[in-house]
Amino acid sequence: MAHTTDDQAETQTLMPDWLYSATPHIISLIAVLSLLLSSINAFGDETQKTVVIGGDYNYPPYEFINDQGEPAGYNVDLTRAIAEVMGMKVSFRMGEWSQIRKAFEQGQIDALQGMIRSEERSRIFDFSPAHAIIHQSVFARRGAQRISLLQQLAGKEVVVQENGIMHDYLISNKTGARLITVPTHADALRRLASGKHDYALVANLPGLYVGKELGLSNIIPVGRTFQAQRYGYAVRKGNDALLAQFSEGLAILKNTGRQQQIYNKWLSPLQEHTSDWKNLGKVAAIVSALLLVVLGGTVVWNRMLKKEVDRRSEELNIRQQQLIQADKMTSLGILVSGVAHEINNPAGLLLLNIPMVRDAWQDCEDILEQHYQQHGDFLLAGLPYSRMRDEIPLLLSDMQDSSRRIKRIVEDLKDFARQRHDDEHAPFDLNEVTEMAIRLVDNSIRKSTDHFSVEYYQPMPAVAGNAQRIEQVIINLILNACQALGHRQQAVSIRTFYDAGSGQVGLEVIDQGCGIDSENLKRLIDPFFTTKREQGGTGLGLSVSSGIVQAHNGQMQFSSEPGEGTRVTLTFPASTTAQTTDSYSMHSESQVNHS
């Protein structure tokens, strides 16, 4: 009989009877939900794409079919480990190397887990960092001539694996050897051991492994003709995503030491040696291979570190140059403010005195005219009075207009150079900013073209932002347009517009200059890219301008054809809703001769 404590009895008393009766159903429901969730997860796993991995069925100890008919070897274990850490599903397709390579080239296989990299193969395949270093050795029957140069194989029958790296190499280098192709390294060594042919050129470790397993005691390495060759994963050109998975997985295995464990399992036993002199050649080959693996890994690691250091150095250099440019602009702004102040004083004096001089001329004009009528013409400032009485009012008017123009330009310069924070955003009129920019670069426009025009959209909605920074962008675009012109008959035109449908306010700067090549068009906003390096260009103007436009939630687009000119379009979101009209006003300098 079961006993309950007082607490248990109290709990049972408080629990409703319906809950007791529903408990078995709740448990069943939970079990069904768990089974359903497991089925969903299993379905997700089944729908994951399986990556087909190709390999040589008889290339021990790297990859082969074992006695149980399963893929085995260093490459196979490494692939399975990468699939585990990267969450991949893989299946193996093993066969004769020439058939596997053909299937790989035809797209029936996604990747090869072991392939030696060469210049010719790199044109059609992409390779991961090497996970092993392969040596190629010349094998022969005991007593055969030693081989130290490939040229010594001329006229000899040399057995190689069909479509293997040495098959490719001997064909491309035309050594004069008579090539006998076989499906596997084992076939090559069997033929050689049976007395057929002169030499076999195979990979060192697989050759030693197969010779030991088959008991081929009458063949030995008689010369190593190649240094270390990188051996790693291969994918077809353009399959960057799959290559990245293998490369990242391989890096993880290296850093965690798991690759070394797999390496020790399959390759370290071949490095064990005895004092038996007949195994001395095998021991020396394996030890050299291990040293080269370490050396190769060190070289690859150093190159990766060097690339990373170079990349970081380039980033720091770009930032440094931008800071230098910003410091120059700040210094220029301070200088402009000082010069503008100094110019303002005499300009103000001229504006004050010229009206007084005009009044004095008007007071003297009656007396001079009376003297002219009584005594005839006379010289005034070295010129006849009859001419000067018409010229002096015009001269005074021109002097006053020029003084006003100087004052307006100085005020624009002071406003442009004034220090403001980037976050000081306020509504501004794009037409007014454009007018101010044109006044500041008026001299450059007059020197560059006889055909400059500008049209303003009216009424123009306001834009929220930093008017000074947008003015800097417009100045840069106008100067670039002027510099692109080849002669004065080519035109520069500016147009502001408003698209009520998208709520975008915009500006276009169009020139009839030299245009931009298509390959350069994509790099215009890259830092330090310039086609005017010889003329002192830094390549920062458009890069900085692009950053300013993006900070204002705007866009800067380029369209150009070589020899036909360039169109640059700026668009910004309007800060207020404006009525859509087709009203335009033409700038007074449209189609003016700037001679």
Side-chain angles (χ1 to χ4, degrees), residues 246-471:
F246 282 116
S247 299
E248 184 178 353
L250 188 59
I252 293 173
L253 297 184
K254 285 184 178 180
N255 292 333
T256 58
R258 191 170 177 185
Q259 185 200 8
Q260 188 62 44
Q261 295 175 0
I262 299 172
Y263 183 94
N264 293 339
K265 172 184 175 182
W266 290 100
L267 303 182
S268 290
L270 296 178
Q271 299 174 11
E272 297 175 358
H273 58 84
T274 65
S275 58
D276 191 351
W277 284 97
K278 68 179 181 179
N279 293 324
L280 185 59
K282 296 181 180 180
V283 172
I286 296 172
V287 171
S288 299
L290 178 60
L291 292 175
L292 286 173
V293 167
V294 175
L295 178 61
T298 304
V299 171
V300 171
W301 180 251
N302 287 338
R303 288 181 178 177
M304 292 174 62
L305 287 178
K306 185 178 183 300
K307 288 182 179 179
E308 182 65 18
V309 170
D310 291 343
R311 185 181 66 83
R312 295 290 181 90
S313 298
E314 181 65 21
E315 290 179 355
L316 290 175
N317 183 53
I318 291 175
R319 292 177 183 176
Q320 182 184 20
Q321 293 298 325
Q322 290 175 338
L323 289 174
I324 292 173
Q325 186 71 9
D327 183 66
K328 288 181 179 179
M329 294 300 295
T330 301
S331 300
L332 181 61
I334 297 172
L335 179 63
V336 166
S337 298
V339 172
H341 177 73
E342 294 300 324
I343 294 177
N344 250 347
N345 291 333
L349 186 62
L350 288 173
L351 289 173
L352 180 64
N353 292 339
I354 289 175
M356 185 178 300
V357 174
R358 179 186 288 112
D359 292 341
W361 167 254
Q362 291 174 352
D363 292 341
C364 295
E365 193 173 10
D366 291 339
I367 299 173
L368 294 174
E369 185 65 25
Q370 183 179 1
H371 182 81
Y372 172 72
Q373 296 295 334
Q374 295 176 355
H375 302 284
D377 206 357
F378 59 93
L379 295 179
L380 186 64
L383 294 174
Y385 168 76
S386 58
R387 175 182 175 185
M388 290 296 291
R389 63 183 178 182
D390 297 326
E391 291 290 338
I392 288 179
L394 295 177
L395 292 175
L396 291 173
S397 179
D398 288 345
M399 289 168 61
Q400 189 168 28
D401 290 343
S402 297
S403 299
R404 288 172 179 168
R405 179 175 175 82
I406 291 172
K407 186 175 180 61
R408 186 171 64 248
I409 292 175
V410 168
E411 292 299 326
D412 290 345
L413 281 173
K414 289 174 66 178
D415 184 68
F416 179 73
R418 186 173 296 117
Q419 294 288 336
R420 294 176 181 170
H421 296 292
D422 290 344
D423 56 357
E424 292 182 359
H425 282 206
F428 65 87
D429 189 328
L430 186 61
N431 287 345
E432 294 179 357
V433 173
T434 304
E435 282 184 305
M436 187 177 298
I438 292 173
R439 286 199 298 269
L440 289 177
V441 296
D442 180 70
N443 188 52
S444 296
I445 295 173
R446 291 177 180 274
K447 289 182 178 180
S448 301
T449 179
D450 293 334
H451 304 283
F452 175 77
S453 63
V454 57
E455 56 180 323
Y456 299 103
Y457 183 92
Q458 299 288 354
M460 175 64 77
V463 178
N466 189 321
Q468 182 187 30
R469 303 302 300 276
I470 299 302
E471 181 184 352

Side-chain angles (χ1 to χ4, degrees), residues 578-593:
Q579 297 295 326
T580 59
T581 68
D582 294 329
S583 175
Y584 288 88
S585 65
M586 297 302 296
H587 192 273
S588 60
E589 293 181 358
S590 176
Q591 302 298 334
V592 175
N593 187 341

Side-chain angles (χ1 to χ4, degrees), residues 531-563:
T531 58
K532 299 176 288 186
R533 187 78 62 187
E534 295 77 7
Q535 289 78 32
T538 63
L540 285 173
L542 289 179
S543 176
V544 173
S545 297
S546 176
I548 294 173
V549 172
Q550 291 178 9
H552 285 74
N553 298 319
Q555 292 184 342
M556 182 163 60
Q557 298 176 328
F558 301 87
S559 62
S560 181
E561 291 291 337

Side-chain angles (χ1 to χ4, degrees), residues 67-354:
D67 296 337
Q68 290 75 38
E70 297 291 334
Y74 167 79
N75 293 352
V76 175
D77 284 1
L78 194 63
T79 298
R80 286 172 175 160
I82 290 176
E84 179 182 345
V85 298
M86 297 302 295
M88 302 165 57
K89 287 185 66 176
V90 298
S91 65
F92 295 94
R93 178 173 172 181
M94 313 291 283
E96 292 183 4
W97 174 253
S98 60
Q99 298 176 357
I100 292 297
R101 177 172 171 177
K102 182 177 180 181
F104 175 53
E105 293 174 348
Q106 293 176 348
Q108 301 172 16
I109 294 175
D110 298 313
L112 297 180
Q113 60 186 350
M115 190 177 199
I116 293 175
R117 184 172 186 170
S118 68
E119 184 177 354
E120 292 77 14
R121 290 177 173 180
S122 295
R123 296 192 183 103
I124 54 177
F125 307 128
D126 284 330
F127 292 84
S128 73
H131 58 68
I133 301 297
I134 301 295
H135 294 272
Q136 304 293 333
S137 293
V138 178
F139 284 76
R141 291 178 291 276
R142 292 183 181 276
Q145 177 188 358
R146 292 192 60 82
I147 299 296
S148 57
L149 297 173
L150 284 179
Q151 287 74 11
Q152 294 177 266
L153 297 177
K156 306 293 185 181
E157 289 187 354
V158 181
V159 191
V160 293
Q161 185 180 32
E162 185 177 3
N163 286 333
I165 186 65
M166 301 319 300
H167 187 195
D168 296 345
Y169 188 91
L170 293 177
I171 290 176
S172 62
N173 285 273
K174 299 179 181 179
T175 59
R178 289 179 288 169
L179 301 182
I180 310 298
T181 59
V182 293
T184 67
H185 281 31
D187 293 332
L189 297 181
R190 285 195 192 98
R191 282 175 171 263
L192 191 63
S194 66
K196 297 178 181 179
H197 318 301
D198 301 308
Y199 297 96
L201 187 51
V202 296
N204 187 57
L205 278 183
L208 295 174
Y209 189 99
V210 170
K212 181 179 179 181
E213 290 293 316
L214 299 179
L216 305 178
S217 58
N218 65 330
I219 58 173
I220 58 173
V222 294
R224 182 177 300 165
T225 57
F226 290 89
Q227 297 180 351
Q229 295 174 318
R230 289 175 290 178
Y231 184 68
Y233 289 90
V235 301
R236 290 183 301 280
K237 279 288 185 183
N239 198 351
D240 296 335
L242 182 59
L243 183 64
Q245 286 185 291
F246 282 116
S247 299
E248 184 178 353
L250 188 59
I252 293 173
L253 297 184
K254 285 184 178 180
N255 292 333
T256 58
R258 191 170 177 185
Q259 185 200 8
Q260 188 62 44
Q261 295 175 0
I262 299 172
Y263 183 94
N264 293 339
K265 172 184 175 182
W266 290 100
L267 303 182
S268 290
L270 296 178
Q271 299 174 11
E272 297 175 358
H273 58 84
T274 65
S275 58
D276 191 351
W277 284 97
K278 68 179 181 179
N279 293 324
L280 185 59
K282 296 181 180 180
V283 172
I286 296 172
V287 171
S288 299
L290 178 60
L291 292 175
L292 286 173
V293 167
V294 175
L295 178 61
T298 304
V299 171
V300 171
W301 180 251
N302 287 338
R303 288 181 178 177
M304 292 174 62
L305 287 178
K306 185 178 183 300
K307 288 182 179 179
E308 182 65 18
V309 170
D310 291 343
R311 185 181 66 83
R312 295 290 181 90
S313 298
E314 181 65 21
E315 290 179 355
L316 290 175
N317 183 53
I318 291 175
R319 292 177 183 176
Q320 182 184 20
Q321 293 298 325
Q322 290 175 338
L323 289 174
I324 292 173
Q325 186 71 9
D327 183 66
K328 288 181 179 179
M329 294 300 295
T330 301
S331 300
L332 181 61
I334 297 172
L335 179 63
V336 166
S337 298
V339 172
H341 177 73
E342 294 300 324
I343 294 177
N344 250 347
N345 291 333
L349 186 62
L350 288 173
L351 289 173
L352 180 64
N353 292 339
I354 289 175

